[in-house]
Amino acid sequence: MELGIIGLGKMGFNMAERLRLAGHKVVGFDFNKDATAKLTATGNLGVNSVEELVKNLSTPRAIWIMVPAGDPVDETIAQLEPLMEKGDTIIDGGNSNYKNTQRRHDEVKAKGFNFVDCGTSGGVWGLKEGYSLMIGGDKEPVERLTPIFQALAPSATEGWGHVGPSGAGHFVKMVHNGIEYGMMQAFAEGFSIMQAKEPLNLDLTQIAHIWQKGSVVRSWLLDLTAGALDKNPTLDGLEAWVPDSGEGRWTVTEAIDLNISAPVITESLIRRLRSREENNFTDRMISIMRGAFGGHDVKKS
Amino acid sequence: MELGIIGLGKMGFNMAERLRLAGHKVVGFDFNKDATAKLTATGNLGVNSVEELVKNLSTPRAIWIMVPAGDPVDETIAQLEPLMEKGDTIIDGGNSNYKNTQRRHDEVKAKGFNFVDCGTSGGVWGLKEGYSLMIGGDKEPVERLTPIFQALAPSATEGWGHVGPSGAGHFVKMVHNGIEYGMMQAFAEGFSIMQAKEPLNLDLTQIAHIWQKGSVVRSWLLDLTAGALDKNPTLDGLEAWVPDSGEGRWTVTEAIDLNISAPVITESLIRRLRSREENNFTDRMISIMRGAFGGHDVKKS
Amino acid sequence: MELGIIGLGKMGFNMAERLRLAGHKVVGFDFNKDATAKLTATGNLGVNSVEELVKNLSTPRAIWIMVPAGDPVDETIAQLEPLMEKGDTIIDGGNSNYKNTQRRHDEVKAKGFNFVDCGTSGGVWGLKEGYSLMIGGDKEPVERLTPIFQALAPSATEGWGHVGPSGAGHFVKMVHNGIEYGMMQAFAEGFSIMQAKEPLNLDLTQIAHIWQKGSVVRSWLLDLTAGALDKNPTLDGLEAWVPDSGEGRWTVTEAIDLNISAPVITESLIRRLRSREENNFTDRMISIMRGAFGGHDVKKS
Amino acid sequence: MELGIIGLGKMGFNMAERLRLAGHKVVGFDFNKDATAKLTATGNLGVNSVEELVKNLSTPRAIWIMVPAGDPVDETIAQLEPLMEKGDTIIDGGNSNYKNTQRRHDEVKAKGFNFVDCGTSGGVWGLKEGYSLMIGGDKEPVERLTPIFQALAPSATEGWGHVGPSGAGHFVKMVHNGIEYGMMQAFAEGFSIMQAKEPLNLDLTQIAHIWQKGSVVRSWLLDLTAGALDKNPTLDGLEAWVPDSGEGRWTVTEAIDLNISAPVITESLIRRLRSREENNFTDRMISIMRGAFGGHDVKKS
């Protein structure tokens, strides 16, 4: 089957490669000419414009957008629409907010095209192990694209599914990432407690490996953690500074909108915010209060 | 190798069976005569008293205690000591608080015996998949017992390890369970958000299965969750009531003692406490305050 | 000075009365004819339509809107605009989201009118003790309205202020309510811990009164709590069910948007959400997981 | 009435002064000779040993201990016991853990003396405004000491009370401090959100003062905060580093022991722990995980 891919970054490029290995034909575009050249070199077809990409696909076309969430998605859709024909399908495989997805679906559909959302998990390991795909949108285009999903997924019958109407794919991916935040924070706290118990002199790398088999916390995240600790057991050079990519905070505000209490996912986000607050204002406010009522010594910076 | 096991509950019995299948000889005791009879019936030896158990093991003996944490452990040790000989080893495989373990180790050692702690994870699946074993204690008895650990573990080289001096095994197991609390809460919150998003009509069972392959949250816990949802997709008959077994709260207080901030593990425990508070007093206090300052309608029960 | 008030509920009516007692003239409208009649009876003027209200005020008019946040504010503005003259001022004294306020300010101003936002705190006690007023908007109308603010506030120089441009008043009121959530939850938790310590048989009402003088936690909220406990020391008839009015959740999402970690205000909101979740789905998900890995007894409902 | 005071620090000295102003006679001891000299200079009697202190009091004696919680209390009691006579009373006015208080009460009582616990709040402001006193212990000595409590308290009938048996006073004070942690954190978060909202350019000092009158959050803590911001509106020289004195963490662990969920008090403590974690290990663990699964750039320190 043919697939256009716009956006050949870490994720997009590897997906093209996985599709090629499964016998599909990918036409890819990226502003980065090295990426398109490399795509051609690996046996797919890299092109230098969206026009060229559209031209090189037979109808009904399927074009996968793998660009940063937000304006780039809208801009790409705007570029595509004049070039497309009725029945063509755009798939947004990025981390878009599901509300934008639902809006885009309606706008694109009004013009006679299909719009499918696909939450894509798997990171840099997806090429080898397959991507987990959470798909939302209308039945017809999703069914038509089944061979693509089967090739990208870990297997034809596993790790992917059509989870609901437009937006459902990105909604489920958003929640997936919220859970991921919570799991990461839980593991990180546990390792932090262990490293602080100095008299026991625990070897975190050893423990991570032990837990990989037979324990209740065994997980892919733990496998990766064990591997990372093998290379850097003392966390040298890592900064205590954690970004958040949008999906965590969307999960938190969505939970509030739905009147669902989600303290652990929320706290995981809050701790990421905290990691980036320098000379924490809240703590300094508490310091000034303590000084005011107790005459407590205020530690000067 | 020979091993005595005291306590043939869900865990102890299955461990005996796994050892037998690996070619070891188990002598087991439990107050429950059905359990000891069943042990004999399966090819190990069930006995009717601690005395008999000790008598049936050749020296240096290794006796694994698998009884509820707390007084039962001390009582079992007290029963064993007069019957044991120098060089014999007691292994506490239960969920003991590591501080009690360190005290017991010192007391037992003063009498010439060995005391090893083994945090044991794996639940009802351990018989088939092996147990994750986190072992603390002196080098000599741990090394001597290696064949036992290798047989109980998922494999001879995986899922087990000697993590440190006395108490280290139970300490690491305690933290393991703290992490487990956090992971469970993170998953549960995510599924809760998804079920509340009614317009998308998401199928939680389908999503759990999708995530099993390729996703970042793939884990044994998710595998089990998917299996459980297969059988009961609507959580029928389950009560919103969650016990906690001790290790979660020990992790939380240990973190505080170590001056380590662990909000997610802590909040996971707090939510379990909350699940068991009926007619929540805190919420009613807030109700009375709202009524007092705002004349807000107080919802009567 | 003259002031029109639209919305004569608990807050609006009492504000009219406080203004009257300070020598101002209030013209008030409400859909509830009992309220307008009562307003006239108390010496102000109650009218039966927005038109009548506008007609009874001399220019430049000042019209205070005290209606539920959201659409009612927009609808009231839409009704007023055709009747107003350049230089007239609308004051939104309700709990509007500051983003809506900023939008309304710009829209209203484009038509030649002024729009002032006034966060108003004080609840049912405001009539007697004065209202805390956090005012946002352009300098000119705020200065012109100073006599009104001085009369509503606890005193001419206390408890009110022009805190910034349009939206600032509602922003500060929003944060005020967020803090209020945190304080209430802190007190409620403390009282909850004390009532649970059964062997000490503590008298919460006595303790609330002790703390009113000399303690670090003395506060108006505590005064009200002590008074409420006098009347209902056992929280009889109160339900463990706490609504939230919007400002708490806005504070939480605003904090996230600003990348500020605010765990306590956030958790206070989350606990209110939790209080309204019946047959908690999250807890039942944890139950099903515990059953799956540990064979733990699942408490049936 | 006569009172011995051991420990003439910030709290003890001011209490002696407040008692003197109310017509009582204080005999005070401290290792710091400046403090005892100053006590004599202000009209009370400073002495140079515990022996001298006991000798200068007529029976039945009342001796108030105002020393750091922990061993110093036990050491002071041990010094006093050989010098005391049946019917004498020790009052522990410090921040002792209530469990130690109950133990001490029983030990002291077995020797024929009384032991009263008095949780004391008010900080450096107590001299002028009176102390909030939460008293635990046997009825007889508490009643006998009533004039002392009435003089220390804000008034004879306010701000103090006998709240229960031995330990109750320190228990209630412990919870008081837990609530105080929550209130401080709630205020600090609110101010932090406001300072981060740069386009509004809010003046935190002005807002603190506005809220002092008429608002729901008005409180002594806010009064102090407003005063402190007057002197240092930009928090210059304050470090984002907050100690905790014991009572907060005791409240948290007590809540857990009582199976009471207290997320806000707990989180307030956790944030203090967090403020003191340098090069946060948990955040660095999350960084290493993100790098492992996503190839996310790891920010190097």
Side-chain angles (χ1 to χ4, degrees), chain A residues 281-294 296, chain C residues 179 182-183 186-187 216-217 264-265, chain D residues 176-192 219 221-222 224-225 242-243 264 268 271-272:
Chain A
F281 195 87
T282 305
D283 292 343
R284 287 189 291 144
M285 277 301 300
I286 292 179
S287 275
I288 207 172
M289 289 180 199
R290 293 186 83 245
F293 73 73
H296 293 287
Chain C
I179 295 171
M183 288 175 69
F187 271 118
V216 174
V217 301
V264 153
I265 293 177
Chain D
H176 167 278
N177 283 27
I179 295 171
E180 176 192 310
Y181 275 43
M183 289 175 69
M184 290 172 79
Q185 180 71 23
F187 271 117
E189 291 177 8
F191 281 99
S192 197
S219 54
L221 198 52
L222 180 64
L224 295 178
T225 304
V242 190
V264 154
S268 300
R271 279 298 290 251
R272 294 192 175 199

Short mmCIF file of all heavy atoms in Angstrom, two decimals, chain A residues 281-294 296, chain C residues 179 182-183 186-187 216-217 264-265, chain D residues 176-192 219 221-222 224-225 242-243 264 268 271-272:
data_model
loop_
_atom_site.label_atom_id
_atom_site.label_comp_id
_atom_site.label_asym_id
_atom_site.label_seq_id
_atom_site.Cartn_x
_atom_site.Cartn_y
_atom_site.Cartn_z
N PHE A 281 9.42 30.46 44.35
CA PHE A 281 8.74 31.57 45.01
C PHE A 281 7.89 31.10 46.18
O PHE A 281 7.84 31.74 47.23
CB PHE A 281 7.87 32.29 43.97
CG PHE A 281 7.40 33.65 44.43
CD1 PHE A 281 8.17 34.78 44.22
CD2 PHE A 281 6.18 33.79 45.08
CE1 PHE A 281 7.74 36.04 44.65
CE2 PHE A 281 5.74 35.04 45.52
CZ PHE A 281 6.54 36.17 45.30
N THR A 282 7.21 29.98 45.99
CA THR A 282 6.36 29.45 47.05
C THR A 282 7.16 29.18 48.32
O THR A 282 6.75 29.55 49.43
CB THR A 282 5.67 28.15 46.56
OG1 THR A 282 4.97 28.44 45.35
CG2 THR A 282 4.70 27.62 47.59
N ASP A 283 8.29 28.54 48.16
CA ASP A 283 9.12 28.24 49.33
C ASP A 283 9.60 29.52 50.00
O ASP A 283 9.69 29.60 51.23
CB ASP A 283 10.33 27.39 48.92
CG ASP A 283 9.93 25.99 48.48
OD1 ASP A 283 8.80 25.57 48.77
OD2 ASP A 283 10.74 25.33 47.84
N ARG A 284 9.90 30.52 49.19
CA ARG A 284 10.36 31.77 49.79
C ARG A 284 9.22 32.50 50.51
O ARG A 284 9.43 33.14 51.54
CB ARG A 284 11.00 32.67 48.72
CG ARG A 284 12.37 32.13 48.29
CD ARG A 284 13.10 33.11 47.41
NE ARG A 284 12.47 33.23 46.12
CZ ARG A 284 12.38 34.35 45.41
NH1 ARG A 284 12.89 35.48 45.89
NH2 ARG A 284 11.80 34.36 44.24
N MET A 285 8.01 32.36 50.00
CA MET A 285 6.86 32.92 50.72
C MET A 285 6.70 32.23 52.08
O MET A 285 6.40 32.88 53.08
CB MET A 285 5.57 32.71 49.90
CG MET A 285 5.29 33.73 48.82
SD MET A 285 5.15 35.46 49.37
CE MET A 285 3.76 35.37 50.51
N ILE A 286 6.89 30.93 52.10
CA ILE A 286 6.78 30.22 53.38
C ILE A 286 7.88 30.68 54.32
O ILE A 286 7.66 30.87 55.52
CB ILE A 286 6.80 28.70 53.16
CG1 ILE A 286 5.52 28.29 52.44
CG2 ILE A 286 6.95 27.96 54.47
CD1 ILE A 286 5.39 26.83 52.13
N SER A 287 9.05 30.90 53.79
CA SER A 287 10.15 31.39 54.61
C SER A 287 9.81 32.73 55.25
O SER A 287 10.08 32.96 56.42
CB SER A 287 11.42 31.57 53.76
OG SER A 287 12.12 30.36 53.66
N ILE A 288 9.23 33.61 54.47
CA ILE A 288 8.93 34.94 55.02
C ILE A 288 7.83 34.85 56.08
O ILE A 288 7.87 35.56 57.08
CB ILE A 288 8.61 35.95 53.89
CG1 ILE A 288 8.96 37.37 54.34
CG2 ILE A 288 7.17 35.89 53.46
CD1 ILE A 288 8.87 38.42 53.23
N MET A 289 6.91 33.93 55.89
CA MET A 289 5.87 33.74 56.91
C MET A 289 6.45 33.17 58.20
O MET A 289 6.10 33.59 59.29
CB MET A 289 4.81 32.75 56.41
CG MET A 289 3.93 33.28 55.31
SD MET A 289 2.75 31.98 54.84
CE MET A 289 2.26 32.62 53.23
N ARG A 290 7.31 32.17 58.05
CA ARG A 290 7.91 31.58 59.25
C ARG A 290 8.68 32.63 60.02
O ARG A 290 8.65 32.67 61.26
CB ARG A 290 8.84 30.42 58.88
CG ARG A 290 8.11 29.23 58.30
CD ARG A 290 9.05 28.06 58.09
NE ARG A 290 9.24 27.29 59.30
CZ ARG A 290 10.37 27.16 59.96
NH1 ARG A 290 11.46 27.74 59.52
NH2 ARG A 290 10.44 26.45 61.06
N GLY A 291 9.40 33.47 59.29
CA GLY A 291 10.12 34.55 59.96
C GLY A 291 9.17 35.48 60.68
O GLY A 291 9.45 35.95 61.79
N ALA A 292 8.00 35.71 60.08
CA ALA A 292 7.07 36.69 60.64
C ALA A 292 6.41 36.22 61.92
O ALA A 292 6.22 36.98 62.85
CB ALA A 292 6.01 37.04 59.59
N PHE A 293 6.05 34.95 62.00
CA PHE A 293 5.33 34.57 63.22
C PHE A 293 6.21 33.94 64.26
O PHE A 293 5.93 33.99 65.44
CB PHE A 293 4.09 33.71 62.94
CG PHE A 293 4.35 32.30 62.51
CD1 PHE A 293 4.79 31.35 63.41
CD2 PHE A 293 4.11 31.92 61.20
CE1 PHE A 293 4.99 30.04 63.01
CE2 PHE A 293 4.32 30.62 60.80
CZ PHE A 293 4.76 29.68 61.70
N GLY A 294 7.29 33.34 63.81
CA GLY A 294 8.06 32.59 64.79
C GLY A 294 9.41 33.21 65.09
O GLY A 294 10.13 32.73 65.96
N HIS A 296 11.59 32.70 63.33
CA HIS A 296 12.50 31.64 62.88
C HIS A 296 13.61 32.25 62.03
O HIS A 296 13.35 33.15 61.24
CB HIS A 296 11.74 30.61 62.05
CG HIS A 296 10.76 29.83 62.84
ND1 HIS A 296 11.13 28.85 63.74
CD2 HIS A 296 9.41 29.89 62.90
CE1 HIS A 296 10.05 28.35 64.30
NE2 HIS A 296 8.99 28.96 63.82
N ILE C 179 -6.89 29.82 47.44
CA ILE C 179 -6.30 29.78 48.78
C ILE C 179 -7.34 29.34 49.81
O ILE C 179 -7.06 28.52 50.69
CB ILE C 179 -5.73 31.17 49.16
CG1 ILE C 179 -4.57 31.54 48.23
CG2 ILE C 179 -5.30 31.22 50.62
CD1 ILE C 179 -4.08 32.98 48.37
N GLY C 182 -7.70 25.72 49.95
CA GLY C 182 -6.59 25.09 50.67
C GLY C 182 -6.73 25.23 52.17
O GLY C 182 -6.49 24.27 52.92
N MET C 183 -7.12 26.41 52.62
CA MET C 183 -7.29 26.62 54.06
C MET C 183 -8.40 25.73 54.62
O MET C 183 -8.25 25.13 55.68
CB MET C 183 -7.63 28.09 54.33
CG MET C 183 -6.48 29.04 54.13
SD MET C 183 -7.00 30.79 54.32
CE MET C 183 -7.36 30.87 56.09
N ALA C 186 -7.20 22.19 54.84
CA ALA C 186 -6.23 22.02 55.93
C ALA C 186 -6.95 21.93 57.27
O ALA C 186 -6.67 21.03 58.08
CB ALA C 186 -5.22 23.17 55.93
N PHE C 187 -7.85 22.85 57.52
CA PHE C 187 -8.61 22.79 58.77
C PHE C 187 -9.41 21.49 58.86
O PHE C 187 -9.41 20.82 59.90
CB PHE C 187 -9.58 23.97 58.87
CG PHE C 187 -8.98 25.20 59.51
CD1 PHE C 187 -8.86 26.39 58.80
CD2 PHE C 187 -8.55 25.16 60.83
CE1 PHE C 187 -8.31 27.52 59.39
CE2 PHE C 187 -8.01 26.29 61.43
CZ PHE C 187 -7.88 27.47 60.71
N VAL C 216 -1.56 30.31 65.94
CA VAL C 216 -1.10 30.71 64.61
C VAL C 216 -2.20 30.51 63.56
O VAL C 216 -2.22 31.17 62.54
CB VAL C 216 0.17 29.90 64.22
CG1 VAL C 216 0.59 30.18 62.78
CG2 VAL C 216 1.32 30.26 65.16
N VAL C 217 -3.14 29.63 63.83
CA VAL C 217 -4.18 29.35 62.83
C VAL C 217 -5.43 30.21 63.01
O VAL C 217 -6.44 30.00 62.34
CB VAL C 217 -4.58 27.85 62.81
CG1 VAL C 217 -3.35 26.99 62.52
CG2 VAL C 217 -5.23 27.43 64.12
N VAL C 264 -1.11 22.06 46.86
CA VAL C 264 -2.12 22.06 47.92
C VAL C 264 -3.45 22.61 47.42
O VAL C 264 -4.52 22.06 47.69
CB VAL C 264 -1.59 22.83 49.16
CG1 VAL C 264 -2.72 23.43 49.97
CG2 VAL C 264 -0.75 21.89 50.02
N ILE C 265 -3.40 23.68 46.66
CA ILE C 265 -4.66 24.19 46.09
C ILE C 265 -5.24 23.14 45.15
O ILE C 265 -6.44 22.87 45.16
CB ILE C 265 -4.41 25.53 45.38
CG1 ILE C 265 -4.04 26.61 46.41
CG2 ILE C 265 -5.64 25.96 44.57
CD1 ILE C 265 -3.70 27.97 45.82
N HIS D 176 -2.54 21.29 65.29
CA HIS D 176 -2.52 22.73 65.02
C HIS D 176 -1.40 23.08 64.06
O HIS D 176 -1.59 23.80 63.07
CB HIS D 176 -2.36 23.49 66.35
CG HIS D 176 -2.01 24.94 66.21
ND1 HIS D 176 -0.71 25.37 65.99
CD2 HIS D 176 -2.77 26.05 66.25
CE1 HIS D 176 -0.72 26.69 65.91
NE2 HIS D 176 -1.95 27.13 66.07
N ASN D 177 -0.24 22.56 64.32
CA ASN D 177 0.89 22.87 63.45
C ASN D 177 0.73 22.25 62.06
O ASN D 177 1.13 22.84 61.06
CB ASN D 177 2.20 22.40 64.08
CG ASN D 177 2.67 23.34 65.17
OD1 ASN D 177 1.85 24.02 65.81
ND2 ASN D 177 3.97 23.40 65.42
N GLY D 178 0.13 21.07 62.01
CA GLY D 178 -0.16 20.48 60.70
C GLY D 178 -1.07 21.39 59.89
O GLY D 178 -0.83 21.65 58.70
N ILE D 179 -2.11 21.89 60.52
CA ILE D 179 -3.03 22.82 59.83
C ILE D 179 -2.26 24.07 59.40
O ILE D 179 -2.42 24.56 58.28
CB ILE D 179 -4.21 23.19 60.76
CG1 ILE D 179 -5.07 21.97 61.05
CG2 ILE D 179 -5.04 24.32 60.16
CD1 ILE D 179 -6.13 22.18 62.13
N GLU D 180 -1.42 24.54 60.28
CA GLU D 180 -0.59 25.72 59.98
C GLU D 180 0.25 25.49 58.72
O GLU D 180 0.35 26.37 57.86
CB GLU D 180 0.29 25.98 61.20
CG GLU D 180 1.31 27.07 61.11
CD GLU D 180 2.29 26.99 62.30
OE1 GLU D 180 1.82 26.90 63.45
OE2 GLU D 180 3.51 26.98 62.06
N TYR D 181 0.84 24.30 58.60
CA TYR D 181 1.60 23.98 57.39
C TYR D 181 0.72 24.13 56.16
O TYR D 181 1.13 24.66 55.13
CB TYR D 181 2.10 22.53 57.45
CG TYR D 181 3.39 22.28 58.18
CD1 TYR D 181 3.66 22.90 59.39
CD2 TYR D 181 4.34 21.40 57.66
CE1 TYR D 181 4.84 22.62 60.08
CE2 TYR D 181 5.51 21.12 58.34
CZ TYR D 181 5.76 21.73 59.54
OH TYR D 181 6.92 21.45 60.21
N GLY D 182 -0.49 23.58 56.24
CA GLY D 182 -1.39 23.62 55.09
C GLY D 182 -1.79 25.04 54.74
O GLY D 182 -1.82 25.41 53.55
N MET D 183 -2.09 25.85 55.74
CA MET D 183 -2.48 27.24 55.48
C MET D 183 -1.32 28.01 54.84
O MET D 183 -1.52 28.78 53.90
CB MET D 183 -2.88 27.93 56.79
CG MET D 183 -4.19 27.46 57.36
SD MET D 183 -4.53 28.21 59.00
CE MET D 183 -4.82 29.93 58.53
N MET D 184 -0.14 27.82 55.37
CA MET D 184 1.02 28.52 54.82
C MET D 184 1.24 28.15 53.36
O MET D 184 1.50 29.01 52.52
CB MET D 184 2.27 28.19 55.64
CG MET D 184 2.24 28.80 57.03
SD MET D 184 3.61 28.20 58.05
CE MET D 184 4.94 29.21 57.43
N GLN D 185 1.15 26.85 53.10
CA GLN D 185 1.38 26.40 51.72
C GLN D 185 0.30 26.95 50.80
O GLN D 185 0.59 27.36 49.67
CB GLN D 185 1.42 24.86 51.69
CG GLN D 185 1.65 24.25 50.32
CD GLN D 185 3.06 24.45 49.78
OE1 GLN D 185 4.00 24.65 50.54
NE2 GLN D 185 3.19 24.41 48.47
N ALA D 186 -0.94 26.98 51.25
CA ALA D 186 -2.04 27.49 50.42
C ALA D 186 -1.79 28.97 50.09
O ALA D 186 -1.90 29.39 48.93
CB ALA D 186 -3.37 27.31 51.14
N PHE D 187 -1.47 29.76 51.10
CA PHE D 187 -1.18 31.17 50.84
C PHE D 187 0.01 31.32 49.90
O PHE D 187 -0.02 32.10 48.94
CB PHE D 187 -0.88 31.91 52.15
CG PHE D 187 -2.09 32.47 52.83
CD1 PHE D 187 -2.48 32.04 54.09
CD2 PHE D 187 -2.85 33.46 52.21
CE1 PHE D 187 -3.60 32.56 54.71
CE2 PHE D 187 -3.98 34.00 52.84
CZ PHE D 187 -4.35 33.54 54.09
N ALA D 188 1.07 30.58 50.19
CA ALA D 188 2.29 30.73 49.40
C ALA D 188 2.04 30.37 47.94
O ALA D 188 2.54 31.03 47.02
CB ALA D 188 3.40 29.86 49.99
N GLU D 189 1.25 29.33 47.71
CA GLU D 189 0.94 28.97 46.32
C GLU D 189 0.14 30.07 45.64
O GLU D 189 0.39 30.42 44.48
CB GLU D 189 0.14 27.65 46.29
CG GLU D 189 0.97 26.45 46.70
CD GLU D 189 0.16 25.16 46.73
OE1 GLU D 189 -1.02 25.17 46.30
OE2 GLU D 189 0.69 24.13 47.19
N GLY D 190 -0.82 30.61 46.35
CA GLY D 190 -1.63 31.68 45.76
C GLY D 190 -0.79 32.88 45.38
O GLY D 190 -0.89 33.42 44.26
N PHE D 191 0.08 33.30 46.28
CA PHE D 191 0.94 34.44 45.96
C PHE D 191 1.88 34.11 44.80
O PHE D 191 2.20 34.95 43.97
CB PHE D 191 1.72 34.89 47.20
CG PHE D 191 0.90 35.72 48.14
CD1 PHE D 191 0.30 35.17 49.26
CD2 PHE D 191 0.69 37.07 47.89
CE1 PHE D 191 -0.48 35.94 50.12
CE2 PHE D 191 -0.08 37.86 48.74
CZ PHE D 191 -0.67 37.29 49.86
N SER D 192 2.30 32.85 44.76
CA SER D 192 3.20 32.43 43.69
C SER D 192 2.50 32.51 42.32
O SER D 192 3.10 32.94 41.33
CB SER D 192 3.65 31.00 44.00
OG SER D 192 4.78 30.66 43.26
N SER D 219 -6.89 36.39 58.23
CA SER D 219 -6.30 35.52 59.25
C SER D 219 -5.06 36.20 59.81
O SER D 219 -4.51 37.12 59.21
CB SER D 219 -5.90 34.18 58.62
OG SER D 219 -5.05 34.41 57.50
N LEU D 221 -2.22 34.83 60.06
CA LEU D 221 -1.12 34.50 59.16
C LEU D 221 -1.04 35.51 58.02
O LEU D 221 0.05 35.93 57.60
CB LEU D 221 -1.36 33.10 58.61
CG LEU D 221 -0.21 32.34 57.99
CD1 LEU D 221 1.00 32.30 58.90
CD2 LEU D 221 -0.65 30.90 57.69
N LEU D 222 -2.18 35.91 57.51
CA LEU D 222 -2.20 36.90 56.44
C LEU D 222 -1.76 38.27 56.97
O LEU D 222 -1.03 39.00 56.27
CB LEU D 222 -3.60 37.00 55.83
CG LEU D 222 -3.74 38.01 54.70
CD1 LEU D 222 -2.89 37.61 53.50
CD2 LEU D 222 -5.19 38.18 54.28
N LEU D 224 0.37 38.83 59.30
CA LEU D 224 1.83 38.78 59.41
C LEU D 224 2.48 38.83 58.03
O LEU D 224 3.51 39.48 57.84
CB LEU D 224 2.25 37.49 60.11
CG LEU D 224 1.81 37.35 61.56
CD1 LEU D 224 2.28 36.01 62.11
CD2 LEU D 224 2.37 38.48 62.41
N THR D 225 1.86 38.13 57.09
CA THR D 225 2.41 38.11 55.73
C THR D 225 2.39 39.52 55.14
O THR D 225 3.37 39.95 54.52
CB THR D 225 1.59 37.14 54.86
OG1 THR D 225 1.60 35.85 55.48
CG2 THR D 225 2.16 37.03 53.46
N VAL D 242 12.96 25.33 53.21
CA VAL D 242 12.06 25.40 54.36
C VAL D 242 12.28 24.22 55.29
O VAL D 242 12.10 23.06 54.89
CB VAL D 242 10.58 25.41 53.90
CG1 VAL D 242 9.68 25.73 55.08
CG2 VAL D 242 10.36 26.40 52.77
N PRO D 243 12.67 24.49 56.52
CA PRO D 243 12.84 23.39 57.49
C PRO D 243 11.47 22.89 57.97
O PRO D 243 10.45 23.52 57.71
CB PRO D 243 13.60 24.05 58.64
CG PRO D 243 13.41 25.50 58.50
CD PRO D 243 12.94 25.80 57.10
N VAL D 264 -3.66 17.37 52.07
CA VAL D 264 -3.12 18.72 52.02
C VAL D 264 -2.06 18.94 53.10
O VAL D 264 -1.00 19.51 52.83
CB VAL D 264 -4.27 19.75 52.11
CG1 VAL D 264 -3.80 21.07 52.69
CG2 VAL D 264 -4.87 19.96 50.72
N SER D 268 1.88 19.50 52.17
CA SER D 268 2.60 20.66 52.70
C SER D 268 3.94 20.23 53.28
O SER D 268 4.95 20.92 53.12
CB SER D 268 1.77 21.36 53.77
OG SER D 268 0.54 21.79 53.24
N ARG D 271 6.32 19.19 50.40
CA ARG D 271 6.94 20.32 49.72
C ARG D 271 8.10 20.91 50.53
O ARG D 271 9.05 21.44 49.96
CB ARG D 271 5.90 21.40 49.44
CG ARG D 271 5.10 21.09 48.19
CD ARG D 271 5.99 21.03 46.95
NE ARG D 271 6.48 22.32 46.61
CZ ARG D 271 6.09 23.04 45.56
NH1 ARG D 271 5.23 22.52 44.72
NH2 ARG D 271 6.58 24.22 45.33
N ARG D 272 8.00 20.81 51.84
CA ARG D 272 9.15 21.26 52.64
C ARG D 272 10.34 20.32 52.44
O ARG D 272 11.48 20.77 52.32
CB ARG D 272 8.77 21.35 54.12
CG ARG D 272 7.73 22.43 54.39
CD ARG D 272 7.59 22.71 55.87
NE ARG D 272 6.69 23.82 56.08
CZ ARG D 272 6.62 24.54 57.19
NH1 ARG D 272 7.41 24.25 58.21
NH2 ARG D 272 5.78 25.54 57.30
#
